[in-house]
Amino acid sequence: RKEVEQDPGPFNVPEGATVAFNCTYSNSASQSFFWYRQDCRKEPKLLMSVYSSGNEDGRFTAQLNRASQYISLLIRDSKLSDSATYLCVVTGGGGSYIPTFGRGTSLIVHP
Amino acid sequence: DTAVSQTPKYLVTQMGNDKSIKCEQNLGHDTMYWYKQDSKKFLKIMFSYNNKELIINETVPNRFSPKSPDKAHLNLHINSLELGDSAVYFCASSLSRVETQYFGPGTRLLVL
């Protein structure tokens, strides 16, 4: 089983749609969880940190389920500018602080 | 001011050459990283330094050697470049080992 797994997509959705991404991780002792966004030919940029209590930032909601070892990202009212690759990142656990990136989920929002 | 900067942005070179990529962060962070993103866009950690000490050294050929002269700088030297080294190399920094990482713009390396 890969350490961090994401559905690569692409997810092709119309403007205004709601779309959800999941990411599973294998290390139950993992400590930190993030969603990053990467635009074509650009560096990854933090979208949200993910906490056990869940967190929301405008149209974006992130959830962590430690029991099932997955994190999720929900995007409501999709905009054309949301088109990008969304990367799940899991760090640490058991004395290891190695950050592991998922392969990313591609989102295409069309008019 | 750019938080994490890398030089050069583009690097085209011949097989067998030796090259260096430089990274600087002005965020006052303790931890810095080097990542390789291959043609399939998979971002894989190579090295990490915390307060100038090497803490992560993933399975990377020993032709790759990182060097951290101080907390704000992490350089990557590559000896005897091979075709398979062609990729985008990203530098990143974070306040600590479990905090958010901030990435540089990347160095696009092409080995001919």
Side-chain angles (χ1 to χ4, degrees):
Chain A
R1 181 182 173 184
K2 289 184 185 148
E3 291 183 55
V4 177
E5 288 200 66
Q6 293 182 251
D7 181 343
F11 284 64
N12 203 321
V13 303
E15 272 186 291
T18 296
V19 61
F21 306 139
N22 281 334
C23 169
T24 58
Y25 61 95
S26 58
N27 185 346
S28 60
S30 297
Q31 293 184 299
S32 304
F33 308 87
F34 307 93
W35 283 103
Y36 279 74
R37 169 192 170 134
Q38 187 173 25
D39 292 286
C40 188
R41 298 184 66 77
K42 297 283 189 180
E43 71 272 23
K45 291 186 178 175
L46 178 73
L47 181 67
M48 300 178 80
S49 301
V50 190
Y51 307 113
S52 297
S53 54
N55 48 314
E56 187 174 314
D57 182 4
R59 298 181 294 109
F60 299 84
T61 301
Q63 297 275 355
L64 166 63
N65 185 318
R66 284 193 181 270
S68 302
Q69 292 179 211
Y70 76 84
I71 68 174
S72 62
L73 177 68
L74 183 75
I75 306 176
R76 290 179 297 277
D77 189 23
S78 299
K79 312 288 184 196
L80 295 177
S81 58
D82 293 334
S83 298
T85 297
Y86 291 83
L87 302 164
C88 164
V89 186
V90 176
T91 296
S96 157
Y97 294 96
I98 297 175
T100 304
F101 279 72
R103 287 187 173 270
T105 298
S106 176
L107 173 65
I108 302 169
V109 182
H110 58 81
Chain B
D1 282 341
T2 306
V4 183
S5 58
Q6 294 179 230
T7 53
K9 278 194 171 176
Y10 300 95
L11 189 50
V12 181
T13 188
Q14 301 284 335
M15 272 176 56
N17 283 351
D18 303 339
K19 290 293 178 187
S20 290
I21 308 172
K22 295 187 175 182
C23 178
E24 177 180 0
Q25 53 97 3
N26 62 7
L27 298 166
H29 287 169
D30 284 344
T31 310
M32 295 186 73
Y33 311 81
W34 276 112
Y35 287 89
K36 178 180 180 180
Q37 189 168 44
D38 59 26
S39 56
K40 294 183 180 175
K41 309 299 181 190
F42 184 39
L43 200 62
K44 182 93 169 78
I45 190 163
M46 300 172 70
F47 302 103
S48 178
Y49 273 73
N50 190 60
N51 281 320
K52 300 197 315 176
E53 179 188 346
L54 181 65
I55 56 169
I56 296 173
N57 185 353
E58 288 295 272
T59 309
V60 177
N62 56 16
R63 297 182 295 105
F64 291 79
S65 51
K67 196 164 285 186
S68 181
D70 55 59
K71 269 176 40 171
H73 296 84
L74 181 61
N75 304 323
L76 183 66
H77 188 76
I78 316 170
N79 288 326
S80 303
L81 277 154
E82 300 178 357
L83 294 177
D85 298 331
S86 297
V88 182
Y89 292 84
F90 286 104
C91 175
S93 74
S94 61
L95 196 59
S96 74
R97 290 185 269 183
V98 293
E99 297 284 343
T100 303
Q101 294 179 54
Y102 295 84
F103 283 79
T107 295
R108 281 154 183 81
L109 171 65
L110 178 61
V111 183
L112 301 174

